[in-house]
Amino acid sequence: MTDALVIGAGPAGLMAAGALARAGLSVTVAEAKPSVGRKLLMAGKSGLNLTKDEPLESFLGAYSGSSAELVRGAVRDFPPANVRHWAETLGQDVFTGSSGRVFPRAMKASPLLRAWLGELAGLGVAFRTRSRWAGFDARGYVFDTPSGRSVLHPAATVLALGGASWARLGSDGAWAPRLADAGVTLAPFAAANAGLTVAWSAHMNRHFGAPVKVARLTAGETPVRGEFVISARGLEGSAVYAISKPVREGAGLTLDLCPDWSLEQVAARLARPRGKATLSAHLRKVLRLDPARLALLQEFGRPLPQDASLAGLVKHLPVTHAGLRPLDEAISTAGGIAAQALDGFMLRAHPGLFAAGEMLDWEAPTGGYLLTGCLATGLAAGQAAATWAAAYPRGM
Ligand SMILES: Cc1cc2nc3c(=O)[nH]c(=O)nc-3n(C[C@H](O)[C@H](O)[C@H](O)COP(=O)(O)OP(=O)(O)OC[C@H]3O[C@@H](n4cnc5c(N)ncnc54)[C@H](O)[C@@H]3O)c2cc1C
């Protein structure tokens, strides 16, 4: 017998499990994979960005989507300062990087996850790995396990099954048709924080892997200054992820290769005497373009104009691309359980069933907003489920 069930052992589910256990309930966490927190561990491979040091109202402005207001409410109750404190109580020193991004000193997720699981074990939380939730039956929640089907019928349940990217880590979005069949309104999944597909010419091969450190990308109304990388498949990295929402919504994309200089300054530099230098050598010299930026100018701007309009091209280079990389490669997923399907964190169609984390319909850029949103909604959904379980102890 278990009072409360959490399905999905990512950051949202683990947070919910802690909240339920602290409320005095017996808690079981069911996870499809043989081990827990696989996406969290993957997130730590490139430096686990837990949250961001920034004024709360500006932080909250990063969330969008139909369930964003719900996420904002949860983050107000568990803001970035609490995320820091939480990590520290798990023995993880944190530091703030130059852009305000907050990381554990260890950078990776494994020490934090280990300490977290230790804390949950101390609270009596039981884990069932290799238990894939397969749907509902009249008696409760049905699981496929190595020893066959099993059914759990707790007083309250929190779903924290993640989005629909990086399926190999567990979040495959297979829950969506199951919930839709149960009458839950869903917004369609879409890639968020995704790279761009570019069909490069052969000239670009030698630049694959090259970072572009000084540039500004503008998609629609969103200018983003930051770094990205030229890859065999297109463009990747934080600045590209940050414009993936407007690009997904159809905005055109331009690149400013000299963001520190105005159009007039670029034009004046280009007008300097060229002598016998080739145009490439001239561009390199007067605009201090490194090989990667010069290659992008030639790739997207070819044939380069020989007149004064070249300055405009350097400042507003149209980026020709074939859209976002596929959903499974995205850092996160937009879409999921829509606000109208929810009463707080509870599914209107399923009293006693709550949801948290990336499976709700919200999105945010990279920068720690994702994990903070998942931790905060996990905590809030767990607390709401505990209140429900206290009011309706069994048999609902
Ligand atoms: C490469 C990469 C780097 C990232 N870096 C950062 C970062 O630095 N900072 C940041 O804020 N965010 C980062 N993210 C995003 C962040 O990891 C996710 O937003 C977060 O893990 C989502 O948490 P969640 O608990 O909602 O879902 P998940 O972490 O996806 O967990 C869902 C769990 O549910 C399980 N599950 C799914 N279906 C079933 C089922 N039917 N039955 C049982 N269990 C099931 C899955 O196996 C999984 O363990 C990164 C993501 C990636 C891919």
Side-chain angles (χ1 to χ4, degrees):
M1 286 292 265
T2 187
D3 297 326
L5 171 64
V6 175
I7 314 179
L14 295 180
M15 209 65 180
L20 286 157
R22 275 189 291 273
L25 299 168
S26 67
V27 184
T28 298
V29 177
E31 164 59 47
K33 289 286 177 185
S35 62
V36 307
R38 291 188 170 202
K39 193 177 264 186
L40 180 67
L41 291 169
M42 176 58 75
K45 291 216 163 154
S46 47
L48 188 70
N49 183 190
L50 285 169
T51 192
K52 195 167 180 189
D53 235 338
E54 106 177 277
L56 185 60
E57 285 312 308
S58 146
F59 189 94
L60 297 174
Y63 296 100
S64 60
S66 74
S67 295
E69 204 39 50
L70 195 61
V71 180
R72 287 191 200 107
V75 173
R76 276 203 176 86
D77 291 342
F78 193 71
N82 293 40
V83 175
R84 290 184 73 116
H85 179 70
W86 165 79
E88 283 163 353
T89 57
L90 290 175
Q92 301 306 302
D93 266 358
V94 296
F95 73 97
T96 304
S98 52
S99 55
R101 293 175 180 222
V102 176
F103 300 89
R105 278 214 186 279
M107 290 305 272
K108 52 189 182 172
S110 42
L112 179 120
L113 181 59
R114 211 175 306 123
W116 197 0
L117 294 176
E119 186 199 40
L120 292 175
L123 289 167
V125 174
F127 284 86
R128 291 188 183 188
T129 52
R130 294 190 166 92
S131 291
R132 171 172 290 279
W133 176 54
F136 307 98
D137 80 357
R139 293 185 302 133
Y141 297 87
V142 179
F143 291 88
D144 288 328
T145 75
S147 49
R149 289 217 141 181
S150 72
V151 181
L152 290 172
H153 37 91
T157 298
V158 178
L159 289 179
L161 305 172
S165 70
W166 291 66
R168 69 189 167 87
L169 303 178
S171 38
D172 56 13
W175 52 265
R178 228 166 277 149
L179 288 189
D181 287 350
V184 177
T185 307
L186 304 175
F189 290 134
N193 297 304
L196 284 174
T197 300
V198 182
W200 299 118
S201 71
H203 301 290
M204 293 300 290
N205 291 3
R206 66 199 174 92
H207 299 286
F208 293 164
V212 178
K213 297 196 169 178
V214 184
R216 184 188 292 116
L217 285 161
T218 301
E221 304 292 299
T222 315
V224 175
R225 182 163 176 166
E227 294 189 22
F228 59 90
V229 175
I230 300 170
S231 76
R233 290 172 297 190
L235 298 173
E236 292 169 21
S238 56
V240 171
Y241 300 155
I243 49 83
S244 59
K245 182 166 189 265
V247 166
R248 191 181 77 218
E249 290 166 351
L253 180 62
T254 61
L255 179 58
D256 180 350
L257 294 169
C258 295
D260 293 326
W261 294 326
S262 66
L263 177 65
E264 294 70 29
Q265 286 170 314
V266 170
R269 284 174 170 269
L270 285 172
R272 287 180 188 170
R274 182 166 138 190
K276 288 189 180 150
T278 62
L279 180 57
S280 295
H282 186 61
L283 283 162
R284 244 192 329 263
K285 186 170 166 207
V286 298
L287 298 183
R288 297 183 203 144
L289 287 185
D290 49 61
R293 282 184 296 157
L294 187 58
L296 289 172
L297 178 63
Q298 283 161 338
E299 179 75 3
F300 293 130
R302 198 183 304 122
L304 293 185
Q306 304 282 328
D307 58 14
S309 66
L310 182 56
L313 202 59
V314 169
K315 292 292 289 175
H316 306 282
L317 181 66
V319 176
T320 313
H321 61 84
L324 298 181
R325 297 291 309 155
L327 175 58
D328 193 51
E329 291 176 23
I331 296 289
S332 60
T333 311
I337 300 173
Q340 69 207 79
L342 294 162
D343 176 6
F345 288 91
M346 190 167 78
L347 299 180
R348 288 182 193 281
H350 241 275
L353 178 58
F354 298 75
E358 220 181 288
M359 64 186 304
L360 303 177
D361 174 28
W362 58 277
E363 64 180 299
T366 57
Y369 304 105
L370 297 167
L371 280 176
T372 299
C374 292
L375 294 168
T377 56
L379 180 64
Q383 288 168 339
T387 304
W388 174 274
Y392 306 101
R394 279 229 186 271
M396 287 296 296

